[in-house]
Amino acid sequence: MVNNKASEVHHNLNKDRVEAAYRIIQDYVTPTPLKYSEYFSEKHNIPVYLKLENLNISGSFKIRGAAHALLRCHKKELARGVMATSAGNHAQGVAHMAKCLGVKAKIFMPQSTSLIKVTSTENYGAEVSLVGDSYMEAESEAMKWLEQNGAKLIHAYRQEDVILGQGTVAIEVMAQCPEVGVVVAPIGGGGLITGMAAYLRGYDTPERRVKLFGVQSRLCCPVSKLFHGHGSCGLQDCDSQQKPIKAFATLADGIAVKNPSPKNIASIVSWVDGVQCVGERDLAGAIMELLEREHILGEGAGVASLAALELYHNQIREMADGRPVVCVISGGNIDASVLCRIMQKG
């Protein structure tokens, strides 16, 4: 693993603060189901549960962080409106909460963002600007706009209030499956897994630790490279450090983040037990398998946990030590044309 300075870790994130965030968002975010999967349990010879964040408001876990961040803002801050950059799901979360609070929202998204994510964001009342080929390019334009116009920035994964809100997924997992051994979750900017880790590390005892296993797309895996000491993540074509990643380059566009927060990376290295990558065929297969076997629709980033379970089931099963595995299905906002292509090749 890569060495990180202790000062870089999110020292202010902990179990108590995640619980406080949960109390704040409860009136706006409904708990999502935890579904036992007989099919995946039998296939991998271990109890497997699916945490269905794809059934959340706006179709992903992102509403949690957006809700907490906006509800923590002062009315004077919100009066200027809010702004965010997003590949889609964070945009919908911010737009939905802005609508609930009667606040104007300006969202910057890459030009290649799926149509369903763009139209859903606009339907919540937000003003959307499609700029650049990647999240980074969209964010660069957003910062220029912010300097000129002024608004409250709600960052997708760098702000503590957002990370604390994302971490509330872990509260529900522990309440719904207290005996859980491993939680498998996607990593993009690192906000979700960092928030969950902050909560779960509060449960650690000398006798037991709930393990966290993170997943990235093979085509964009900077956290995996850093987690494994700046080396290869074990896949020959994992080259996200050498060339720009466009949102349409991977089915997991929601986690195609080339510049995660350094604090999130340091926290992941310190608090998370494993990070691996999955390929496009793995993601497509997981989308189809989840749809056919469980009748549940997940997007590419949303099913990354199931793709990882397929590829790394021996490692995950060993980490679980006989206890259940929870796979976070983080989102379900998949474009119909993408789903059609996957089904045709299925």
PDB file of all heavy atoms in Angstrom, residues 51-63:
ATOM      1  N   LYS A  51     -27.655  -4.175  -1.231  1.00  0.00           N
ATOM      2  CA  LYS A  51     -28.120  -2.912  -0.673  1.00  0.00           C
ATOM      3  C   LYS A  51     -28.579  -2.035  -1.837  1.00  0.00           C
ATOM      4  O   LYS A  51     -27.775  -1.507  -2.609  1.00  0.00           O
ATOM      5  CB  LYS A  51     -26.998  -2.223   0.118  1.00  0.00           C
ATOM      6  CG  LYS A  51     -27.396  -0.890   0.754  1.00  0.00           C
ATOM      7  CD  LYS A  51     -28.581  -1.023   1.687  1.00  0.00           C
ATOM      8  CE  LYS A  51     -28.849   0.303   2.417  1.00  0.00           C
ATOM      9  NZ  LYS A  51     -30.166   0.306   3.077  1.00  0.00           N
ATOM     10  N   LEU A  52     -29.890  -1.868  -1.978  1.00  0.00           N
ATOM     11  CA  LEU A  52     -30.482  -1.317  -3.187  1.00  0.00           C
ATOM     12  C   LEU A  52     -30.575   0.209  -3.162  1.00  0.00           C
ATOM     13  O   LEU A  52     -31.665   0.794  -3.084  1.00  0.00           O
ATOM     14  CB  LEU A  52     -31.852  -1.948  -3.407  1.00  0.00           C
ATOM     15  CG  LEU A  52     -31.832  -3.482  -3.555  1.00  0.00           C
ATOM     16  CD1 LEU A  52     -33.238  -4.020  -3.760  1.00  0.00           C
ATOM     17  CD2 LEU A  52     -30.923  -3.909  -4.702  1.00  0.00           C
ATOM     18  N   GLU A  53     -29.435   0.849  -3.284  1.00  0.00           N
ATOM     19  CA  GLU A  53     -29.398   2.307  -3.368  1.00  0.00           C
ATOM     20  C   GLU A  53     -29.926   2.813  -4.704  1.00  0.00           C
ATOM     21  O   GLU A  53     -30.241   3.998  -4.837  1.00  0.00           O
ATOM     22  CB  GLU A  53     -27.973   2.817  -3.134  1.00  0.00           C
ATOM     23  CG  GLU A  53     -27.511   2.721  -1.700  1.00  0.00           C
ATOM     24  CD  GLU A  53     -28.361   3.579  -0.766  1.00  0.00           C
ATOM     25  OE1 GLU A  53     -28.362   4.811  -0.926  1.00  0.00           O
ATOM     26  OE2 GLU A  53     -29.036   3.007   0.121  1.00  0.00           O
ATOM     27  N   ASN A  54     -30.058   1.917  -5.683  1.00  0.00           N
ATOM     28  CA  ASN A  54     -30.682   2.293  -6.956  1.00  0.00           C
ATOM     29  C   ASN A  54     -32.161   2.630  -6.790  1.00  0.00           C
ATOM     30  O   ASN A  54     -32.765   3.268  -7.654  1.00  0.00           O
ATOM     31  CB  ASN A  54     -30.517   1.171  -7.981  1.00  0.00           C
ATOM     32  CG  ASN A  54     -31.138  -0.131  -7.521  1.00  0.00           C
ATOM     33  OD1 ASN A  54     -30.942  -0.550  -6.378  1.00  0.00           O
ATOM     34  ND2 ASN A  54     -31.868  -0.792  -8.396  1.00  0.00           N
ATOM     35  N   LEU A  55     -32.752   2.217  -5.657  1.00  0.00           N
ATOM     36  CA  LEU A  55     -34.154   2.524  -5.380  1.00  0.00           C
ATOM     37  C   LEU A  55     -34.325   3.807  -4.570  1.00  0.00           C
ATOM     38  O   LEU A  55     -35.435   4.165  -4.187  1.00  0.00           O
ATOM     39  CB  LEU A  55     -34.813   1.357  -4.627  1.00  0.00           C
ATOM     40  CG  LEU A  55     -34.827   0.012  -5.354  1.00  0.00           C
ATOM     41  CD1 LEU A  55     -35.568  -1.033  -4.535  1.00  0.00           C
ATOM     42  CD2 LEU A  55     -35.441   0.138  -6.746  1.00  0.00           C
ATOM     43  N   ASN A  56     -33.219   4.494  -4.332  1.00  0.00           N
ATOM     44  CA  ASN A  56     -33.281   5.735  -3.566  1.00  0.00           C
ATOM     45  C   ASN A  56     -33.878   6.855  -4.419  1.00  0.00           C
ATOM     46  O   ASN A  56     -34.011   6.734  -5.633  1.00  0.00           O
ATOM     47  CB  ASN A  56     -31.867   6.134  -3.099  1.00  0.00           C
ATOM     48  CG  ASN A  56     -31.870   6.730  -1.712  1.00  0.00           C
ATOM     49  OD1 ASN A  56     -32.816   7.413  -1.324  1.00  0.00           O
ATOM     50  ND2 ASN A  56     -30.825   6.485  -0.956  1.00  0.00           N
ATOM     51  N   ILE A  57     -34.232   7.953  -3.770  1.00  0.00           N
ATOM     52  CA  ILE A  57     -34.704   9.137  -4.481  1.00  0.00           C
ATOM     53  C   ILE A  57     -33.620   9.556  -5.467  1.00  0.00           C
ATOM     54  O   ILE A  57     -32.440   9.571  -5.136  1.00  0.00           O
ATOM     55  CB  ILE A  57     -34.979  10.289  -3.493  1.00  0.00           C
ATOM     56  CG1 ILE A  57     -35.948   9.843  -2.403  1.00  0.00           C
ATOM     57  CG2 ILE A  57     -35.514  11.515  -4.227  1.00  0.00           C
ATOM     58  CD1 ILE A  57     -36.032  10.805  -1.249  1.00  0.00           C
ATOM     59  N   SER A  58     -33.993   9.867  -6.676  1.00  0.00           N
ATOM     60  CA  SER A  58     -33.104  10.259  -7.770  1.00  0.00           C
ATOM     61  C   SER A  58     -32.257   9.090  -8.276  1.00  0.00           C
ATOM     62  O   SER A  58     -31.368   9.272  -9.100  1.00  0.00           O
ATOM     63  CB  SER A  58     -32.199  11.452  -7.398  1.00  0.00           C
ATOM     64  OG  SER A  58     -31.159  11.084  -6.515  1.00  0.00           O
ATOM     65  N   GLY A  59     -32.528   7.885  -7.793  1.00  0.00           N
ATOM     66  CA  GLY A  59     -31.934   6.693  -8.384  1.00  0.00           C
ATOM     67  C   GLY A  59     -30.546   6.320  -7.939  1.00  0.00           C
ATOM     68  O   GLY A  59     -29.911   5.463  -8.560  1.00  0.00           O
ATOM     69  N   SER A  60     -30.040   6.909  -6.854  1.00  0.00           N
ATOM     70  CA  SER A  60     -28.717   6.522  -6.359  1.00  0.00           C
ATOM     71  C   SER A  60     -28.512   7.002  -4.926  1.00  0.00           C
ATOM     72  O   SER A  60     -29.321   7.774  -4.392  1.00  0.00           O
ATOM     73  CB  SER A  60     -27.608   7.093  -7.255  1.00  0.00           C
ATOM     74  OG  SER A  60     -27.303   8.427  -6.896  1.00  0.00           O
ATOM     75  N   PHE A  61     -27.395   6.588  -4.344  1.00  0.00           N
ATOM     76  CA  PHE A  61     -27.043   6.993  -2.981  1.00  0.00           C
ATOM     77  C   PHE A  61     -26.717   8.474  -2.883  1.00  0.00           C
ATOM     78  O   PHE A  61     -26.669   9.043  -1.780  1.00  0.00           O
ATOM     79  CB  PHE A  61     -25.836   6.180  -2.488  1.00  0.00           C
ATOM     80  CG  PHE A  61     -24.539   6.577  -3.136  1.00  0.00           C
ATOM     81  CD1 PHE A  61     -23.700   7.516  -2.552  1.00  0.00           C
ATOM     82  CD2 PHE A  61     -24.144   6.022  -4.344  1.00  0.00           C
ATOM     83  CE1 PHE A  61     -22.504   7.902  -3.152  1.00  0.00           C
ATOM     84  CE2 PHE A  61     -22.962   6.378  -4.947  1.00  0.00           C
ATOM     85  CZ  PHE A  61     -22.135   7.325  -4.355  1.00  0.00           C
ATOM     86  N   LYS A  62     -26.486   9.131  -4.005  1.00  0.00           N
ATOM     87  CA  LYS A  62     -25.994  10.507  -3.999  1.00  0.00           C
ATOM     88  C   LYS A  62     -26.938  11.489  -3.315  1.00  0.00           C
ATOM     89  O   LYS A  62     -26.503  12.548  -2.840  1.00  0.00           O
ATOM     90  CB  LYS A  62     -25.727  10.969  -5.428  1.00  0.00           C
ATOM     91  CG  LYS A  62     -24.535  10.305  -6.101  1.00  0.00           C
ATOM     92  CD  LYS A  62     -23.226  10.823  -5.554  1.00  0.00           C
ATOM     93  CE  LYS A  62     -22.051  10.357  -6.388  1.00  0.00           C
ATOM     94  NZ  LYS A  62     -20.766  10.939  -5.917  1.00  0.00           N
ATOM     95  N   ILE A  63     -28.212  11.154  -3.255  1.00  0.00           N
ATOM     96  CA  ILE A  63     -29.167  12.047  -2.592  1.00  0.00           C
ATOM     97  C   ILE A  63     -28.788  12.243  -1.130  1.00  0.00           C
ATOM     98  O   ILE A  63     -29.061  13.295  -0.538  1.00  0.00           O
ATOM     99  CB  ILE A  63     -30.607  11.489  -2.710  1.00  0.00           C
ATOM    100  CG1 ILE A  63     -31.622  12.460  -2.113  1.00  0.00           C
ATOM    101  CG2 ILE A  63     -30.727  10.131  -2.046  1.00  0.00           C
ATOM    102  CD1 ILE A  63     -31.708  13.780  -2.812  1.00  0.00           C
TER     103      ILE A  63
END
